[in-house]
């Protein structure tokens, strides 16, 4: 962001909140909402702690909008990969259990 000394951030996901140092919500903010593959929702919020001149989107540049949107895509991609890994492990465990049951039934 163009004013890093006056920038704070918050990510909210799955009823958890992750905030930067000295976080406070102000009138000068951007928000990107995202939804994971399982329907769980979250958001990334960026705030300036001081008023700056009006630009493309309040005090933010178009490039900053693109940045927060890209960060939202990265976060949701990571969450989706964790969800997929969990599904794969559950399926693997189920297949191993079925193989074990089959072995004992035939053995």
């Amino acid at each position: 962001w163009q004013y890093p000394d006056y920038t704070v951030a918050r990510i909210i996901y799955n009823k958890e909140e992750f905030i930067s140092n000295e976080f406070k919500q102000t009138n000068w903010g951007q928000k990107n909402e995202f939804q994971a593959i399982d329907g769980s929702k979250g958001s990334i919020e960026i705030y300036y702690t001081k008023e700056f001149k009006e630009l493309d989107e309040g005090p933010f540049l178009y490039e900053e909008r693109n940045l927060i949107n890209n960060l939202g895509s990265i976060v949701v991609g990571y969450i989706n990969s964790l969800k997929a890994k969990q599904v794969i492990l559950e399926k693997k465990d189920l297949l191993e259990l079925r193989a074990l049951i089959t072995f004992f039934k035939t053995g």
Side-chain angles (χ1 to χ4, degrees), residues 18-95:
F18 308 91
I19 59 174
S20 63
N21 290 335
E22 300 179 28
F23 175 83
K24 67 178 179 178
Q25 189 172 343
T26 68
N27 293 327
W28 314 289
Q30 286 186 311
K31 184 175 186 177
N32 174 270
E33 295 180 337
F34 56 83
Q35 183 171 333
I37 197 166
D38 66 351
S40 57
K41 296 180 180 182
S43 64
I44 299 174
E45 301 170 29
I46 303 294
Y47 295 95
Y48 285 141
T49 58
K50 176 181 168 183
E51 186 173 8
F52 293 99
K53 68 179 181 173
E54 291 285 317
L55 296 169
D56 301 321
E57 184 181 324
F60 298 95
L61 297 169
Y62 288 125
E63 292 84 357
E64 292 170 305
R65 167 52 60 193
N66 291 336
L67 179 56
I68 195 171
N69 289 346
N70 287 333
L71 289 172
S73 294
I74 290 168
V75 168
V76 87
Y78 177 73
I79 291 168
N80 287 343
S81 70
L82 292 177
K83 302 272 181 198
K85 184 178 179 179
Q86 182 180 5
V87 168
I88 290 168
L89 289 174
E90 288 170 2
K91 297 288 183 188
K92 180 182 172 210
D93 290 346
L94 183 59
L95 289 173

